[in-house]
Amino acid sequence: MSRNRPTLGLYIHIPFCSAICNYCNFNRGLFDADQKRRYVEALLREIEQAGVKVCTTPATADTIYFGGGTPSLLEPPEVARIIAACRDAFDVSSDAEVTLEANPESVDPGKLSALRDAGVNRLSFGVQSFRDAELRRLSRLHDANRARAALGEARGAGFDNVSLDLMMWLPSQRVDEWLESVDAAIASNPDHLSLYLLEVYPNAPLKDDMARAKWSQAPDDDAATMYVTAMERLEAAGFAQYEISNVAKPGRASRHNLKYWTDGEWLGFGCGAHGTVDGVRTKNVSGIDDYIERLAKGQPVASEIRRMDAAERLGDALFTGLRLTAGIDLDDVQRRYGVDVWERYRADLAPFVDAGLLRRDRSRLALTRPGMLLANEVMAVFV
Ligand code: SF4
């Protein structure tokens, strides 16, 4: 199970939002300027302490990812201080990918330029839809024009690596309406796109909104058509799908997110953040104030530190690896885990191969596109 120490990714969680969207299930809270100021100080302390803990010589890192919440609610000097803290605590490569998730309404040209100067070199915009009625239904604060403008402003500020998120299967959304958003996304010329199916959680306010307004989600078959047709249009426009939900122009796959799907290692900073290093999984306390107070008192912020056993590590590597269009490198798994995956799981996997949901060629095992629609059922083999 040994291999050279992988280069780390550094995930920074920023849990503040200007308003809480009616479908949101993330770890976030309403923006409060004083709390944010104290949170940034706590983050800086956690990063500094981790640098000391990880190794006597600084561990190397090649990605920094500000996720949320809404990281674009940070002021650029705060972002600069956090990046500097990462560089002080870790040996961060000079060409590191530094991503910041941004909401279109929380940026302007000046802020984007300042974020670029602060060291951010990749932006990921939470656009979700290019149709105003859908954005209102999701209680988002921006409209389609603001989303388009934000992308243009990012280019103007010098960003050559810009991603956007879209959500499909929205309440009352028809296939043609979804494809309108896909076409608008293509027209706005991003380098990378993430497409997610809306999941309506049982306690989400959106569920009540849907009941009141009599909105429903399209039938499952339409959701499948939305996914497959979008992928085809994106491929025709020069994007390559590299993961179930992600497409990119050449060389623009998310280096940070690939760590999650290629059995990589990363550290998570901030409330609720989780990390995986050397087979040890950690998760921080989720409460914002709890996190701040613990750091102020010099107490540990991890609520969970768990060494995964060999079976769990293997299961994780297979489960996440199957998300990639390239699939799992079976020879590599054999080298690292000493397991012949096909031999071990043949009885469970063969029916999926026969049904055209899985492809096995030479030393690779990958989902086909129809298989991606039923990914959870296939992946359950490894859990
Ligand atoms: S902006 Fe994102 S994190 Fe914040 S409430 Fe909306 S969906 Fe949740």
Side-chain angles (χ1 to χ4, degrees):
M1 296 222 312
S2 68
R3 58 172 167 159
N4 289 338
R5 192 68 196 273
T7 307
L8 290 172
L10 306 176
Y11 174 83
I12 319 280
H13 191 67
I14 307 297
F16 305 106
C17 292
S18 302
I20 303 301
C21 303
N22 58 9
Y23 60 92
C24 179
N25 193 35
F26 296 120
N27 184 28
R28 67 333 183 227
L30 268 183
F31 179 80
D32 173 298
D34 180 59
Q35 191 185 40
K36 181 205 57 170
R37 191 186 46 72
R38 289 182 288 117
Y39 184 80
V40 170
E41 296 305 322
L43 262 180
L44 295 170
R45 202 163 304 147
E46 192 196 2
I47 294 167
E48 184 190 345
Q49 289 171 2
V52 176
K53 245 182 275 166
V54 162
C55 220
T56 43
T57 53
T60 55
D62 64 354
T63 65
I64 301 175
Y65 192 103
F66 290 84
T70 309
S72 49
L73 290 177
L74 290 180
E75 295 304 324
E78 293 171 325
V79 173
R81 285 179 72 201
I82 295 168
I83 294 173
C86 291
R87 292 195 178 277
D88 286 346
F90 301 95
D91 180 10
V92 179
S93 60
S94 55
D95 67 343
E97 175 190 88
V98 183
T99 304
L100 183 125
E101 290 181 352
N103 280 350
E105 76 283 355
S106 64
V107 294
D108 57 40
K111 185 164 194 174
L112 289 167
S113 289
L115 286 170
R116 181 101 185 105
D117 292 343
V120 177
N121 54 29
R122 182 172 183 271
L123 289 172
S124 177
F125 281 112
V127 171
Q128 317 312 354
S129 166
F130 280 96
R131 299 187 71 249
D132 289 344
E134 289 172 356
L135 288 165
R136 278 194 299 273
R137 234 168 271 164
L138 294 174
S139 67
R140 298 292 305 207
L141 298 177
H142 66 275
D143 61 16
N145 280 337
R146 175 85 284 273
R148 281 190 197 90
L151 260 92
E153 290 163 6
R155 295 301 191 200
F159 284 96
D160 64 358
N161 197 354
V162 179
S163 178
L164 60 86
D165 288 358
L166 286 184
M167 284 200 312
M168 71 188 107
W169 211 27
L170 302 180
S172 288
Q173 187 184 50
R174 297 189 313 258
V175 174
D176 62 306
E177 292 171 334
W178 157 246
L179 293 174
E180 239 180 75
S181 274
V182 174
D183 289 342
I186 292 169
S188 68
N189 196 28
D191 304 283
H192 181 283
L193 275 124
S194 303
L195 312 180
Y196 300 107
L197 276 173
L198 171 70
E199 205 171 326
V200 185
Y201 293 95
N203 57 355
L206 176 60
K207 204 173 170 72
D208 298 333
D209 295 350
M210 288 173 69
R212 256 194 311 274
K214 299 199 175 11
W215 296 326
S216 54
Q217 286 174 293
D220 287 3
D221 280 357
D222 281 4
T225 305
M226 286 179 182
Y227 177 78
V228 171
T229 314
M231 287 301 175
E232 287 167 358
R233 284 198 188 184
L234 288 161
E235 280 174 354
F239 294 89
Q241 184 183 7
Y242 68 100
E243 195 264 353
I244 289 181
S245 304
N246 287 280
V247 302
K249 290 270 175 73
R252 289 295 188 234
S254 163
R255 280 159 58 191
H256 182 84
N257 288 341
L258 275 170
K259 291 183 191 293
Y260 303 145
W261 305 313
T262 54
D263 206 10
E265 299 197 340
W266 67 95
L267 289 169
F269 300 104
C271 61
H274 63 90
T276 301
V277 174
D278 208 12
V280 177
R281 185 149 290 177
T282 54
K283 184 176 183 301
N284 282 352
V285 291
S286 14
I288 301 174
D289 282 331
D290 190 11
Y291 171 81
I292 295 172
E293 278 163 28
R294 283 176 189 237
L295 276 151
K297 289 182 190 154
Q299 295 170 349
V301 286
S303 59
E304 199 181 305
I305 303 178
R306 193 167 54 82
R307 176 163 289 284
M308 297 187 288
D309 63 24
E312 190 183 356
R313 290 181 73 171
L314 171 68
D316 251 41
L318 299 175
F319 184 88
T320 53
L322 214 48
R323 294 190 62 90
L324 296 168
T325 49
I328 301 163
D329 181 335
L330 299 175
D331 291 340
D332 188 47
V333 172
Q334 170 98 54
R335 258 192 314 276
R336 281 162 50 190
Y337 294 94
V339 171
D340 182 331
V341 173
W342 185 250
E343 280 312 311
R344 179 178 287 191
Y345 297 100
R346 182 203 295 260
D348 291 322
L349 294 176
F352 291 122
V353 175
D354 294 343
L357 302 178
L358 265 182
R359 193 178 56 237
R360 177 174 168 248
D361 32 59
R362 289 190 305 277
S363 77
R364 288 208 166 262
L365 187 68
L367 289 168
T368 60
R369 189 157 287 159
M372 287 185 176
L373 292 164
L374 296 168
N376 289 342
E377 283 155 58
V378 182
M379 288 167 176
V381 169
F382 302 129
V383 179

